[in-house]
Amino acid sequence: MTAPIQNLRQFLALLEEQGELSRIEAGTDPILEIAAITDRVCKQPGGGRALLFLRPKGSGRPVATNLFGSLRRVCLALGVDRLDRLAERMAALLAPLPERDVAGLDRRIAALPEFSRFAPAAGQDPDLMTMAAPDLGGFPFLQSWPGDGAGEGHGRYITLPQVFTVAPDGTGPNCGMYRCQVRGPRELAVRWYPGSGAARHFEAYRRRGEPMPVAIALGGPPAALFSAMLPLPGDLDEMTFAGFLRDAPLELAACRSVPLRVPVGCEVVIEGHADPFETVMEGPFGNHTGFYAPAAPVPLVRVTAISLRADAVVPATLVGPPPMEDCWMAAAWERLLVAFVRRLAPAVADIRFPREWVFRQSAIISLENPRPGMVREIAGLLWQTPWFRAARLLLFVAADGVPADLSRAVWRGINLVDDGLDLIRDESGTRLALDATGSRAPRPPVVTDGAIAEQVARRWREYGF
């Protein structure tokens, strides 16, 4: 691994050095225009370049988008030459743990010396200055799609946040990526989902009738952002995991007005309290499915302090119809998940999340030496894990040396499934596994004769090609 990247500014410099960044000098509007430009760029082959908008309308602070919108930039952010390095490191970390045991996996990982050595250290961040009067209105937060926030007319969102919370007793720190709707100079609607770490913390504060401290960090070490995005097992500490990802512990600095710590090197830190009894309607919001998520009541966070660098850059992402930046970011989780799943089912050779399936937990799973009944067994096991609990479709293929991409997997899925025995539903009937391994009724594949293939290769230029 290369030396870890400490902050967004260092990452931008690296991207520019590598020819991966476009600076946009022309004035651009955070309301829809920046998102439209980003959408057009990120759908270019390979994901296009990262974008730095230097003159957003109504703000003197630049906006950076599509930062992680290519396989190469994800690797640069995490300091690896290829993402399979993540699977290799995770497999080595998990090697001492028992197979086929998800319960308590977070506690067992946390107890490993090779993991706990990455626990964050205390630090200071002298580059952050506290605003005399907190005001979200001066930041170029984006409205991505025309219908965003149409329910109550608040269309701007913080789309690339790291949201920090802790339990009322100060234990169990959590960092998640939850979208934040800007409702005014000092108000945010933060949408954390049932079962998330922040939701559990908020419920504990609500039962006590106390507001919950919240810190929202923008920028900082890329590994921290990726860790916030990942669906880690249980209550595994995201900042320790970020240290593991980048092979060096993070430094965390104390916030000004709430008892929380955030990574050193952030561009902006927004602090506040989530009201235990007041909710507001957030949404609709155009999300990664390519459709609007409906409006729903979410907690209201009142801002108590904002700290920022003098030349702060505001990072943002755009989600919508794939391909998008989040598709490339999810590739990092895909590689890490392979290592987790192999501990449960060693026959799993690989896992692929097709971009078209947009993170619905559905996957193409290739198996080594599949046998009759193996797919039913492994599908049942995976449906019990948090990573595949909501998977609508698990498509199983044989590992034959060819990457399990969507085109090849669908070809096998249509042509190797003979009857209902290859269609496996869970007890509820809402999840489906498709056995396209061919193990139950093997059929020889159609392949070119080896000697003829060699002859054709040898004479290829002679044919005039």
Side-chain angles (χ1 to χ4, degrees):
M1 297 186 67
T2 60
I5 296 171
Q6 304 298 333
N7 52 53
L8 176 58
R9 204 59 54 92
Q10 185 181 353
F11 186 53
L12 288 170
L14 176 62
L15 295 184
E16 190 156 40
E17 175 190 314
Q18 297 290 322
E20 290 279 343
L21 179 69
S22 291
R23 291 175 172 265
I24 299 172
E25 300 278 356
T28 50
D29 197 332
I31 306 298
L32 301 178
E33 185 181 14
I34 288 179
I37 297 168
T38 303
D39 184 36
R40 184 166 177 173
V41 170
C42 72
K43 286 181 167 53
Q44 293 175 354
R49 289 185 178 185
L51 304 174
L52 183 61
F53 296 89
L54 297 171
R55 297 176 56 206
K57 181 180 177 181
S59 176
R61 301 183 178 96
V63 173
T65 67
N66 205 31
L67 288 166
F68 312 105
S70 74
L71 186 61
R72 186 179 185 218
R73 291 200 294 280
V74 171
C75 289
L76 288 171
L78 297 177
V80 294
D81 57 349
R82 54 188 178 86
L83 287 185
D84 281 330
R85 296 286 189 203
L86 301 179
E88 294 165 3
R89 292 188 64 225
M90 181 56 65
L93 178 71
L94 298 176
L97 301 182
E99 295 178 359
R100 291 182 173 266
D101 191 2
V102 175
L105 182 60
D106 56 339
R107 294 189 298 274
R108 286 192 295 275
I109 293 175
L112 292 171
E114 186 56 28
F115 182 78
S116 60
R117 70 185 181 92
F118 294 110
Q124 294 182 336
D125 203 339
D127 292 334
L128 287 180
M129 304 177 299
T130 302
M131 295 180 70
D135 185 358
L136 297 168
F139 293 89
F141 299 128
L142 305 187
Q143 178 176 350
S144 299
W145 305 105
D148 284 353
E152 295 189 355
H154 301 291
R156 292 196 182 201
Y157 280 81
I158 303 173
T159 55
L160 208 57
Q162 301 159 58
V163 181
F164 290 82
T165 60
V166 295
D169 62 1
T171 63
N174 179 78
C175 179
M177 188 182 293
Y178 313 115
R179 69 177 182 256
C180 305
Q181 182 188 45
V182 180
R183 298 182 62 86
R186 298 181 66 169
E187 288 189 345
L188 292 167
V190 184
R191 191 181 186 105
W192 44 68
Y193 289 88
S196 65
R200 295 195 300 271
H201 290 160
F202 183 68
E203 177 58 23
Y205 275 97
R206 191 193 63 78
R207 290 195 299 266
R208 294 164 63 119
E210 299 176 3
M212 181 177 74
V214 176
I216 300 167
L218 305 181
L225 180 71
F226 274 83
S227 192
M229 178 195 73
L230 302 176
L232 300 178
D235 293 319
L236 196 64
D237 178 47
E238 286 85 2
M239 293 301 98
T240 303
F241 194 83
F244 168 77
L245 278 180
R246 68 189 215 135
D247 202 30
L250 272 70
E251 286 189 336
L252 302 183
C255 291
R256 268 61 165 176
S257 65
V258 293
L260 296 168
R261 298 191 303 161
V262 298
V264 169
C266 292
E267 299 292 306
V268 181
V269 178
I270 303 166
E271 305 171 19
H273 292 86
D275 191 298
F277 303 116
E278 185 174 1
T279 60
V280 292
M281 292 298 292
E282 178 273 325
F285 181 76
N287 69 11
H288 55 262
T289 64
F291 300 92
Y292 286 99
V298 303
L300 176 67
V301 173
R302 291 186 169 87
V303 175
T304 54
I306 299 177
S307 301
L308 70 163
R309 294 170 58 116
D311 52 353
V313 175
V314 175
T317 192
L318 177 71
V319 293
M324 286 284 190
E325 177 181 16
D326 52 0
C327 297
W328 300 104
M329 297 176 73
W333 171 242
E334 178 190 84
R335 298 300 86 204
L336 291 165
L337 184 59
V338 170
F340 280 115
V341 170
R342 281 177 179 164
R343 297 303 298 166
L344 305 175
V348 171
D350 201 5
I351 297 171
R352 295 288 172 177
F353 291 129
R355 288 183 297 183
E356 293 82 354
W357 293 2
V358 290
F359 320 119
R360 286 295 187 178
Q361 295 187 316
S362 297
I364 299 168
I365 301 173
S366 54
L367 302 178
E368 295 282 4
N369 303 314
R371 52 173 171 74
M374 181 183 283
V375 167
R376 183 176 296 274
E377 175 188 350
I378 294 178
L381 180 66
L382 296 182
W383 281 330
Q384 297 176 42
T385 70
W387 307 305
F388 295 100
R389 191 169 291 143
R392 297 176 178 177
L393 174 64
L394 297 179
L395 176 52
F396 290 86
V397 297
D400 52 10
V402 179
D405 61 34
L406 182 61
S407 175
R408 183 176 178 82
V410 169
W411 163 63
R412 295 178 68 98
I414 294 297
N415 291 287
L416 284 180
V417 175
D418 283 332
D419 54 42
L421 293 177
D422 291 327
L423 301 174
I424 303 163
R425 290 189 179 274
D426 70 337
E427 293 181 357
S428 69
T430 60
R431 298 176 296 192
L432 177 67
L434 185 61
D435 185 350
T437 63
S439 61
R440 196 176 57 80
R443 283 181 282 173
V446 175
V447 295
T448 302
D449 178 83
I452 293 298
E454 184 179 337
Q455 174 182 308
V456 168
R458 187 175 62 250
R459 298 187 60 193
W460 194 248
R461 289 189 178 181
E462 184 181 339
Y463 303 143
F465 296 118

